[in-house]
Amino acid sequence: MRYVTKSDLLIVAKDSGYVMIGIGLMCLIPLIIDLIYFEFDIISFIIPGAISIIFGFALTKYFENTRTKKMRLKHGMMISSFAWFWAGLIGGLVITLATNISYIDAVFESVSALTGTGVTIFSNVEVLPHSILFFRALEQWVGGLGVVVMVIGVFTKPGSVTSKLYNSEAREERLEPSIKSTLKKTLEIYAIYTVLGIVLYILAGMPLFDSICNTFTIISTGGMNVKNANMGFYQSDLIYFITIVLMILGATSFLVHYKIIKSKGKSLIEDLQFKVIICLIAFVTLMLYFLTNIVPIELLFTVVSAITTTGASVSPVEVMASWPPFMIICLMCLMLIGGSNGSTVGAIKLVRMITFFKGIYKHVREILSPEGRVVSMKLNGRKIDEKAISQAGNYITLYLMFIMFTWALLCLFGYDPFNSLFAAMSLQGNNGLELGIINTTLNPIVKVVCMIDMWTGRLEIYPVLITVRAFFEVFK
């Protein structure tokens, strides 16, 4: 039985055109920075942007009058997977034209930025043009909400198509009855926090350009920086504290942010995921404070960076690699969990972890309870059904399988097993914290696998699996 027909491909091709146009326009925005700093590297942005816009415009016009069946979730997932793949390729072309590094390294950098992973292939980012530093930050800011979410929020009209595309990037929560209104409110909240972050950084003494780029990367929980020492370059506890606040804001559900004013702050205090994040940060920080000799603010910063999957750091890679193994294991556990659902974070996400453990507790209670008794569990006042528990367990299993494969591959190429596991978890969870493995000397095969990890991690695996399955079906 064929699950993908010609009609399905027409739907994917037609709506992918709008996304390609959006990606092309994104490539042109850094031209403003290029001109401000008199770098005059216009070609590096014009060519990739034009390629994406032309191809996108051609697709939309060619299939404009084509009658297709109603869009389903599978179509949205295929469009979403293609959009992120295409954005990585086009962004890589921008970077390779501007810096002359190999195309595979440039695509790696682009994918890392877009997916909010934040690990960089460059050994010295401070020599990069301002326009490229801004472009990486912009990719992270766009990727924080989602490439497709950004495009449909600007270009598309309300309807079932918008709904399916919104759900395709693992987003389910609605701030308003309609998806279009939800996107508008989400973008407003995102923009407000972005402006707030820029202003706070400037007031703390950070240069304007650094403030813009760092806010883009921190509020999106991306973590790339314009300095080699990351946030540690600024040597300011005030800047560290502002960054911690922005990371937590980025890791909190947009639905909670939306309800803060209406509920006078109660939505934040009452949200289970937010409470768990704060409790985990407090518990792990206090525990490690008594077990290690690390400076408290640096310890708190790293713990928050790990659980919010930001990957920003104040300690050099060499210093982090020398930390006690127990602390590294604690960070890996936080990297695995991640932040709230409906935020900008990667990893498994708290709602799945909570659902999974509630399912285990439910099973234990059912065994202990009198025969025939039905044990019900609730999450945020809503009953958790068996399907949700099963889906959480399936995703966690699949997620760990991807980590195991990458871990084994890194070990095969001779890397330290402990550091390899840390790197595999960081890549799959779009975290970016690193112990010195990820650099330009990586084998090309390993680089490709790492890019797949970041891609699948950001899209939560299933859209990519569906797209791959569809690809093989087309070429049967």
Side-chain angles (χ1 to χ4, degrees), residues 15-16 18-20 22-23 26 71 75-85 87 114 142-156 161-171 179-180 183 187 455 458-459 463:
D15 288 287
S16 291
Y18 294 107
V19 180
M20 294 167 76
I23 292 168
M26 180 186 73
M71 177 179 280
H75 302 128
M77 286 186 168
M78 284 189 277
I79 293 168
S80 184
S81 297
F82 171 77
W84 286 84
F85 178 76
L114 283 163
V142 170
L145 280 190
V147 174
V148 174
V149 167
M150 280 288 196
V151 172
I152 62 176
V154 177
F155 290 102
T156 64
V161 173
T162 304
S163 176
K164 294 297 185 295
L165 289 172
Y166 181 78
N167 293 335
S168 72
E169 287 195 332
R171 295 188 177 275
I179 293 295
K180 190 70 176 180
L183 287 171
L187 285 168
W455 182 35
R458 183 60 183 80
L459 287 172

Side-chain angles (χ1 to χ4, degrees), residues 26-42:
M26 180 186 73
C27 294
L28 302 180
I29 295 174
L31 286 173
I32 300 171
I33 304 298
D34 181 85
L35 295 175
I36 290 174
Y37 286 93
F38 302 105
E39 292 170 346
F40 302 114
D41 192 14
I42 298 175

Side-chain angles (χ1 to χ4, degrees), residues 407-474:
W407 182 24
L409 184 68
L410 287 169
C411 291
L412 177 65
F413 280 86
Y415 293 101
D416 175 74
F418 191 70
N419 291 349
S420 296
L421 178 59
F422 189 92
M425 294 177 71
S426 181
L427 291 165
Q428 190 63 46
N430 304 129
N431 191 290
L433 287 176
E434 222 269 304
L435 298 180
I437 286 182
I438 308 300
N439 53 55
T440 190
T441 63
L442 274 178
N443 185 283
I445 296 174
V446 179
K447 287 178 184 176
V448 171
V449 171
C450 290
M451 285 188 275
I452 292 173
D453 286 337
M454 293 187 284
W455 182 35
T456 55
R458 183 60 183 80
L459 287 172
E460 300 196 346
I461 301 175
Y462 283 108
V464 177
L465 294 182
I466 288 168
T467 303
V468 172
R469 174 69 174 82
F471 176 82
F472 281 113
E473 184 150 320
V474 168

Side-chain angles (χ1 to χ4, degrees), residues 305-322:
S305 181
I307 195 168
T308 60
T309 71
T310 307
S313 63
V314 293
S315 302
V317 171
E318 302 79 18
V319 173
M320 288 183 61
S322 66

Side-chain angles (χ1 to χ4, degrees), residues 7-15 68-71 75:
S7 181
D8 293 321
L9 296 178
L10 291 177
I11 294 174
V12 173
K14 182 179 179 180
D15 288 287
T68 58
K69 56 188 179 183
K70 187 178 180 180
M71 177 179 280
H75 302 128

